[in-house]
Amino acid sequence: MQGGSRAVALALDALRHGWAIRVNGEGGALDLLPAETGFAQPGLYAARMLISAARAATLKLANSREYRPEAPVLIHGAEPFALRDARELADPALDLARPLRGPFRAEPIAAGAAAVAAMELARLAGILPAFLVSTGVEPAAAVTVADLAAFKDPLDLTIQARARLPVAACESAEIVAFRARDDLREHVALVIGSQNGDVPPLVRLHSECLTGDILGSLKCDCGPQLDAALRRMAEETTTGGWGVLLYLRQEGRGIGLINKLRAYELQDQGFDTVDANERLGLPSEARDFPVAARMLDLLGVSAIRLMTNNPAKVAALEGVGVTVLERVAHQLPANPHNARYLDTKRDRTGHIL
């Protein structure tokens, strides 16, 4: 498992730096250069690109609609793709500026497992899921489908540090930091009050939101939800209870900060939250709930009262062994900037509002 995690870490680093990678899986291997971050080289062209099914649907490739939005599609252009062409093709924010592209045709993917893994690696790296295929550039890293499975194993997560941390909501609080060996994300838990094994804690899973938590964005309800959750946990301590806030480093429901901002740009063009993510070729829900379960396990917590309006979050935790004794509603009023966002959560992702 350690070797597999290391291989994925090296592949993610290569993608962020714009280097080519080789992905091996059942059915064959693919040599891929990331369209977004790759750097131009003299004579660099590729006859084929690997893109998402959502992008393929936008390009009117009829056989793309049978795929999930984030599934891979191999396309062939009438002319070879230069890196600049590939970048423009990868970014849906440019569709209005360049509405006519092609012609392209979709081709069968012999190395299907490797192609699926490549889409997931792009998401984990926080880049657009689009690659030039077989450019002749020597791969800087090689990774297998099995390596990716090992990398995502939550058992690799361990507690690295813990300290007393008085916060505005409650002076009696402790912060606990978690880290996986080859994952740069460092998740934290904030324990509010005194941990009591006889009393199930009030728990909130809060995925990182720089724009909402720090900058006070009105486009979402993340910042107010975070503050309200901490205040509610502090109230629990007055009656002998306690709380745990799991702050998960998975910005934008797991698609990363830059891709989340790209989704914001698409929302300004009229797409809702779900459609914006999918138009980028990314899943509308990619958060890692097994990591949250592992954090609770390391804290010695097996049964919780979960503060959420998302029944899917309850099901996800129960599916990985956490006993959810109660779903505690966590609803805040809308504002003119996030009303549509909250409606989308209710109508398309099953939130109870």
Side-chain angles (χ1 to χ4, degrees):
M1 182 174 69
Q2 294 181 16
S5 294
R6 182 175 182 273
V8 174
L10 291 173
L12 295 179
D13 186 63
L15 292 178
R16 294 186 187 108
H17 282 86
W19 301 329
I21 64 169
R22 176 170 293 157
V23 186
N24 295 281
E26 185 177 353
L30 291 170
D31 284 356
L32 304 167
L33 184 71
E36 178 186 343
T37 57
F39 52 90
Q41 302 176 45
L44 179 64
Y45 290 91
R48 297 176 298 165
M49 279 188 67
L50 190 70
I51 62 174
S52 71
R55 296 301 293 140
T58 301
L59 298 172
K60 309 301 181 186
L61 296 174
N63 63 345
S64 66
R65 293 189 181 276
E66 66 189 71
Y67 295 101
R68 300 182 318 278
E70 68 274 19
V73 174
L74 187 66
I75 65 170
H76 191 286
E79 299 290 338
F81 297 100
L83 192 57
R84 180 177 177 178
D85 302 326
R87 286 173 176 161
E88 292 182 349
L89 190 65
D91 191 349
L94 302 176
D95 286 347
L96 293 180
R98 292 196 56 193
L100 299 177
R101 303 180 185 183
F104 307 114
R105 70 172 187 270
E107 297 184 349
I109 307 176
V116 171
M119 296 290 107
E120 177 71 355
L121 288 166
R123 183 189 68 80
L124 291 170
I127 63 174
L128 290 168
F131 300 90
L132 291 173
V133 180
S134 300
T135 59
V137 177
E138 184 69 22
V143 63
T144 69
V145 172
D147 293 335
L148 184 58
F151 179 81
K152 297 172 69 175
D153 186 347
L155 294 179
D156 199 33
L157 196 74
T158 56
I159 292 176
Q160 295 296 315
R162 55 197 313 161
R164 187 177 69 87
L165 184 69
V167 296
C170 181
E171 293 186 5
S172 176
E174 180 188 30
I175 189 168
V176 185
F178 303 79
R179 185 168 58 199
R181 182 178 294 103
D182 296 305
D183 191 344
L184 294 178
R185 298 175 301 171
E186 295 169 335
H187 307 288
V188 298
L190 190 66
V191 179
I192 301 293
S194 298
Q195 185 165 347
N196 182 350
D198 296 327
V199 178
L202 183 62
V203 172
R204 171 71 181 168
L205 273 60
H206 189 91
S207 295
E208 176 184 36
C209 179
L210 173 69
T211 50
D213 300 342
I214 306 301
L215 303 179
S217 167
L218 298 177
K219 288 178 70 74
C220 64
D221 57 348
C222 300
Q225 278 196 344
L226 176 60
D227 295 339
L230 291 175
R231 290 195 302 269
R232 181 71 178 274
M233 291 175 189
E235 292 172 3
E236 292 282 312
T237 67
T238 63
T239 57
W242 59 297
V244 180
L245 175 83
L246 300 182
Y247 195 83
L248 306 169
R249 303 295 302 278
Q250 40 191 12
E251 182 85 47
R253 289 177 168 257
I255 68 172
L257 175 62
I258 292 175
N259 281 331
K260 183 179 83 169
L261 299 184
R262 290 184 172 120
Y264 279 179
E265 186 177 3
L266 292 173
Q267 289 169 37
D268 289 340
Q269 295 179 11
F271 298 97
D272 68 22
T273 310
V274 173
D275 286 339
N277 277 34
E278 292 183 351
R279 199 169 181 85
L280 287 165
L282 297 163
S284 59
E285 175 60 88
R287 287 175 291 183
D288 191 348
F289 294 118
V291 164
R294 173 63 174 166
M295 293 167 71
L296 290 171
D297 182 53
L298 290 170
L299 291 172
V301 176
S302 59
I304 65 173
R305 298 163 55 225
L306 185 64
M307 188 184 301
T308 183
N309 291 330
N310 185 359
K313 193 178 288 186
V314 176
L317 285 180
E318 289 180 333
V320 289
V322 178
T323 300
V324 180
L325 300 173
E326 178 187 4
R327 184 189 69 82
V328 179
H330 190 48
Q331 183 173 351
L332 296 171
N335 68 59
H337 301 277
N338 70 13
R340 187 187 182 200
Y341 164 76
L342 295 178
D343 288 346
T344 300
K345 287 171 67 172
R346 178 196 63 209
D347 298 338
R348 301 198 62 183
T349 60
H351 285 66
I352 301 172
L353 300 177

